[in-house]
Amino acid sequence: MSWPGAGFAAAVTGLGLVTPVGIGVESSWRRVLAGEAAGSHDPLLAGLPVDFSCRVAGFDPDAALGRSAAWRLDRSAQLAIVALREALQDSGLDQTTWDGARVAVVLGNALGGVQTYELQQRQLDSAGARAVSPLLVPMCAPNMVAGHLAMECGAGGPNLVTATACASGTTAIGTARDLLRSGRCDVVITGGAEAAIGRTMIAGFARMGALSRRASEPDAASRPFDAGRDGFVAAEGAAVLVLERVADARARGARVHGMISGYGASADAHHATTPDPSGDAVERAVRSALDDAGLTTADVDHVNAHGTSTKINDATEAKLIQRLFGDRVAVTSTKGVMGHALGAAGAIEAVCTVLALREGVVPPTANLETLDPEIELDVVAKAPRLAPHRVAVSNSFGFGGQNAVLVVTAP
Amino acid sequence: MSNNDTLNRLTTLLVSHFGASEQRVSGTATFEELDFDSLALVELAMVAQKEFGVEVDEQEITPDQSVQDVAELIDARTVAA
């Protein structure tokens, strides 16, 4: 144990998911276990070098939230509110009787309301300043999604958004747990939300060479750890987790899905977009998360990898996992099914990790047909694997060299 | 009096774009009663301008005005144009 707080576990008492493979935890999880990938051609990206993505199919904001609320919200907030409602209902917490001042919100988001921004930029260019919506600023500021969750449920405690690019959701959950441990709140609503599949943004990601070009088979494009992988597939979604102190959860008889038992973070201090090939900073994050949980590498059974399906991430991450755990841990990347939901990804994966331990099953890495010969890991592929695991690590790494790692344990 | 066509089109816009309750929207309902805040009123000026092809300044629509008042404003502009 490296510091006095070691061993603090936050009980996960509520889960909510809105993902490219389902609106709701059960429907999403079923598709994740089946390894059914979501990638498809995207009419909004027509004509671009990369014209496919993983959107939340069938999401109707007017039906879900009512038109009077929906028109004022960026899609990231719309997705987050729907995930929040599911998580709160699941938690059994009663918003009419709780002390809202003791309820915090910490949500991860990477790119704010860029779809709204892109649309309004086109309005400005084509019709002038008077055609720009007065809702532009509140719709696209990245902090707003946490504000909207507070408004939705009356959470009046500390409220913030964490932005660590593709690690944002993981950073949020780690920060939420720290907040709970600090005593500044009694309940934390945490997770991540992202809806950044805008034409300009996708063109930018494509120019970086970060995106898969497998346009002929969009549902086979996200293939983490596969020899034929060639980039990530942009996704959107939201995940919300309700965290409470274990004693509080037990006292009210809440169902505990799992525990967030450790958190570690580090910076590569290396390059804006290329991970440090040494993996040293990531190793530091993993080791500090395990220290924080009072555990060691020998305790870990399962790793939910960052596994983006880019050449460089998967190679660097695999080497690090091998170095820390050997081939003894069951590794998966749920991005094979869902694509990469950027600031929501870590939160979606935290939910998947909680479910994997609760249900005793590791989901397969979709589209993994031929393991990259450079990778010497036990990556679960083709079918879910039944395994009564107790301890898992969930990795997330963001552009900027920002690394965040959670230790999740079975309830 | 605004003509009925303008009032109907405005009412439809309030429901379809802003999600105002169909039960509550009427010529006599004020924007305050319809829960329009200041940003929604600016958006309304913008959307109405596009829908009716007339210039409506954002300061011209106030919370205490009724739907009928705004329909009349639009009609006056339409005639002037």
Side-chain angles (χ1 to χ4, degrees), chain A residues 10 24 56 86 94 119 134 149 158 166 241 295 335 384 398:
Chain A
V56 178
E86 184 184 24
D94 183 351
L119 192 70
L149 293 198
C166 304
L241 301 87
L295 297 169
K335 287 188 179 80

Side-chain angles (χ1 to χ4, degrees), chain A residues 67-68 71-72 130-135 138, chain B residues 16-19 37 39 43 46 49 56 58:
Chain A
R67 178 69 192 160
S68 62
W71 80 268
R72 303 178 67 105
R130 283 175 57 87
V132 172
S133 171
L135 272 299
Chain B
S16 66
H17 185 94
F18 296 92
D37 64 8
L39 297 184
E43 179 95 0
M46 186 183 88
Q49 184 164 326
V56 181
E58 32 253 42

Side-chain angles (χ1 to χ4, degrees), chain A residues 365-378:
Chain A
T365 303
N367 295 317
L368 174 51
E369 286 164 7
T370 307
L371 187 66
D372 183 335
E374 303 282 302
I375 292 174
E376 296 166 15
L377 289 178
D378 174 18

Side-chain angles (χ1 to χ4, degrees), chain A:
Chain A
M1 295 196 188
S2 62
W3 60 298
F8 178 87
V12 180
T13 57
L15 297 172
L17 279 181
V18 178
T19 74
V21 289
I23 299 169
V25 170
E26 286 310 314
S27 54
S28 293
W29 181 238
R30 209 178 313 124
R31 286 274 301 270
V32 167
L33 283 183
E36 290 172 21
S40 65
H41 284 287
D42 187 332
L44 268 83
L45 304 179
L48 295 179
V50 173
D51 63 356
F52 55 98
S53 70
C54 296
R55 284 194 195 267
V56 178
F59 182 76
D60 179 347
D62 290 354
L65 304 169
R67 178 69 192 160
S68 62
W71 80 268
R72 303 178 67 105
L73 299 168
D74 180 73
R75 188 171 170 88
S76 55
Q78 295 170 345
L79 300 175
I81 290 172
V82 172
L84 169 73
R85 288 179 180 173
E86 184 184 24
L88 278 180
Q89 190 177 16
D90 181 42
S91 76
L93 285 166
D94 183 351
Q95 299 151 64
T96 61
T97 57
W98 74 10
D99 179 0
R102 300 288 298 165
V103 181
V105 178
V106 186
L107 222 69
N109 177 269
L111 295 168
V114 296
Q115 285 185 101
T116 295
Y117 187 85
E118 289 185 17
L119 192 70
Q120 294 298 319
Q121 178 72 54
R122 287 198 284 280
Q123 287 289 109
L124 177 70
D125 293 344
S126 65
R130 283 175 57 87
V132 172
S133 171
L135 272 299
L136 165 65
V137 174
M139 283 173 82
C140 72
N143 65 302
M144 290 302 290
V145 66
H148 283 298
L149 293 198
M151 289 171 232
E152 170 69 20
C153 69
N159 188 291
L160 72 151
V161 159
T162 57
T164 53
C166 304
S168 301
T170 304
T171 303
I173 296 167
T175 304
R177 172 175 163 275
D178 285 348
L179 208 54
L180 196 62
R181 173 159 52 183
S182 77
R184 282 178 214 273
C185 56
D186 297 326
V187 175
V188 198
I189 289 158
T190 185
E194 196 80 60
I197 311 173
R199 289 178 65 82
T200 310
M201 193 54 73
I202 293 302
F205 276 122
R207 295 289 290 161
M208 290 176 73
L211 298 178
S212 170
R213 301 292 177 117
R214 197 181 287 259
S216 59
E217 302 172 280
D219 62 345
S222 182
R223 42 196 315 119
F225 303 114
D226 188 86
R229 71 188 183 277
D230 71 334
F232 77 80
V233 179
E236 61 180 9
V240 170
L241 301 87
V242 178
L243 304 186
E244 297 172 74
R245 281 182 282 276
V246 173
D248 293 346
R250 294 226 169 99
R252 69 178 186 88
R255 177 184 189 185
V256 176
H257 297 286
M259 308 282 191
I260 306 297
S261 297
Y263 170 56
S266 68
D268 281 2
H270 172 73
H271 184 270
T273 55
T274 305
D276 179 356
S278 78
D280 289 348
V282 172
E283 175 166 355
R284 223 161 46 238
V286 174
R287 287 194 185 280
S288 67
L290 286 167
D291 283 352
D292 189 21
L295 297 169
T296 71
T297 53
D299 296 311
V300 177
D301 306 304
H302 165 46
V303 175
N304 187 307
H306 188 51
T308 57
S309 180
T310 65
K311 284 273 179 210
I312 190 159
N313 174 83
D314 294 6
T316 312
E317 184 178 14
K319 251 185 240 157
L320 188 270
I321 294 172
Q322 223 280 334
R323 189 160 92 210
L324 285 170
F325 306 106
D327 59 4
R328 196 184 49 71
V329 291
V331 178
T332 194
S333 169
T334 37
K335 287 188 179 80
V337 167
M338 309 227 204
H340 189 355
L342 310 175
I348 292 171
E349 288 153 22
V351 172
C352 289
T353 308
V354 166
L355 293 172
L357 296 183
R358 191 191 80 186
E359 301 297 315
V361 57
V362 177
T365 303
N367 295 317
L368 174 51
E369 286 164 7
T370 307
L371 187 66
D372 183 335
E374 303 282 302
I375 292 174
E376 296 166 15
L377 289 178
D378 174 18
V379 185
V380 179
K382 296 193 168 47
R385 182 187 299 173
L386 295 176
H389 291 151
R390 301 293 303 165
V391 178
V393 160
S394 182
N395 289 339
S396 296
F397 316 132
F399 285 156
Q402 292 163 329
N403 309 306
V405 174
L406 294 173
V407 175
V408 180
T409 54

